[in-house]
Amino acid sequence: MQRFRLFNSLAIAFAVLLMIGIIAPVAPGAAQSQPTSVYLPLLMSPPAPSLQTVEERTRAEEVVRLVNIERAAAGCPALVIEEHLVAAAQKHSKDMGDNNFFNHIGSDGSRFFNRTEAADYTGNPGGENIAAGYPTPAIVMEGWLTSDGHRKNMLNCNFREIGVGYYYAANSTYRSYWTQVFGR
């Protein structure tokens, strides 16, 4: 399957180069007036598959939207979704759901800054909010906003990036697990 994808990618690249005239077919035996160089584009590995399902991503993006409304009202700049922070947050939400616990410390003993490092985040991790048992983005935001510590993280104007994880584990105590990770 991997060879097919590579062949398919090369075939498409060659066809595009033919269409835009960067390379041209030469008839057998025809003389060329000058040497022709062909530079094929570098092929990059496809992006890693998302750690989130479409539903998880949709819920996480809604949380970011709601956070940014609150930040605007407080005079803070909007947070930007940062994919390494998303990976760290999603991993922690999944860990809590799969292992049926609720804690800032992961089942492997990791803390949020360990998880951001493991996710190759190169910025400065700033904080983490977690929640469990809240079924929707609006309801979890209401819970976080009524807690001083969680509210302070969301409205910290020094934070510039965010990753949100959401995971549903039907057979766990809380079912819905949420993680926000903030970076500077």
Side-chain angles (χ1 to χ4, degrees), residues 1-55:
M1 185 67 168
Q2 189 69 12
R3 283 186 181 169
F4 174 75
R5 285 186 183 151
L6 178 61
F7 176 76
N8 195 24
S9 296
L10 289 173
I12 291 170
F14 185 75
V16 167
L17 292 173
L18 277 173
M19 286 190 300
I20 61 175
I22 292 177
I23 60 173
V26 178
Q32 284 185 297
S33 60
Q34 55 184 320
T36 302
S37 297
V38 176
Y39 297 95
L40 294 177
L42 295 175
L43 298 177
M44 296 174 52
S45 300
S50 175
L51 298 174
Q52 293 179 311
T53 66
V54 172
E55 180 183 352

Side-chain angles (χ1 to χ4, degrees), residues 42-105:
L42 295 175
L43 298 177
M44 296 174 52
S45 300
S50 175
L51 298 174
Q52 293 179 311
T53 66
V54 172
E55 180 183 352
E56 291 166 345
R57 184 69 177 203
T58 300
R59 287 173 178 255
E61 288 176 351
E62 177 63 4
V63 166
V64 174
R65 188 184 76 77
L66 294 171
V67 167
N68 281 333
I69 289 171
E70 295 296 326
R71 287 175 65 84
C76 296
L79 294 171
V80 175
I81 295 172
E82 204 290 325
E83 292 304 321
H84 298 90
L85 294 178
V86 170
Q90 186 64 27
K91 181 179 178 184
H92 190 55
S93 291
K94 185 175 185 329
D95 181 30
M96 289 188 293
D98 286 347
N99 294 297
N100 198 23
F101 75 98
F102 178 66
N103 199 310
H104 284 281
I105 300 171

Side-chain angles (χ1 to χ4, degrees), residues 108-131:
D108 61 357
S110 65
R111 297 180 184 272
F112 82 92
F113 49 86
N114 303 124
R115 293 187 289 272
T116 58
E117 184 179 342
D120 295 326
Y121 179 60
T122 57
N124 186 6
E128 175 183 78
N129 287 344
I130 60 173

Side-chain angles (χ1 to χ4, degrees), residues 94 96-98 166-177:
K94 185 175 185 329
M96 289 188 293
D98 286 347
Y166 169 77
Y167 187 71
Y168 182 80
N171 296 321
S172 67
T173 302
Y174 299 106
R175 296 189 179 192
S176 294
Y177 296 84

